[in-house]
Amino acid sequence: MENFEPTIIAFVCNWCTYTAADLAGTSRLFYPKNIRLIRVMCTGMVDPQYIIKAFLEGADSVLISGCHPGDCHYINGNYKARRRIKLLKEILPQFGFDPQRLRLTWIGASDGIQFAEIMRDLTLQMKALGPSQTKLKMVI
Ligand code: FES
């Protein structure tokens, strides 16, 4: 288990978190290679089916990250995302998913340092949790 490297799928908003990831990269800030970024135009377009599919196909964690409340470029997409994630976290255990593996954050375009910190923190948290049971069930 000590060599476990989690796979983390991150749906990131084009306008804020993706830009922060780009800034982290150009600033040469370290963050783990475990993160797979999926660039979306807004967190409001992340359908819960995408999240479930990511878990079923082997993600150990799914992160949704976008503009801070009030800064969404599509007015209220991030508020919709926040409501969806809250509901999803409540029903995930009924389907055998651990809600701790789903995270929602707000990372602004100029927050490259925060982006790298959150990615390091999430990776450490997933290493401590171990492989997703959903993934293990699929392998068996
Ligand atoms: S445009 Fe970034 S969360 Fe909506």
Side-chain angles (χ1 to χ4, degrees), residues 39-90:
R39 185 183 192 177
V40 295
M41 291 309 286
C42 175
T43 55
M45 69 157 289
V46 180
D47 191 303
Q49 289 182 64
Y50 303 165
I51 297 167
I52 301 293
K53 189 169 192 285
F55 280 127
L56 288 175
E57 295 197 359
D60 295 297
S61 177
V62 176
L63 170 72
I64 316 297
S65 185
C67 308
H68 288 274
D71 288 347
C72 177
H73 286 57
Y74 303 96
I75 303 171
N76 58 5
N78 51 4
Y79 291 116
K80 289 176 183 168
R82 184 164 63 188
R83 284 195 296 269
R84 277 191 204 123
I85 300 303
K86 185 177 184 314
L87 283 171
L88 199 54
K89 277 181 168 265
E90 287 175 20

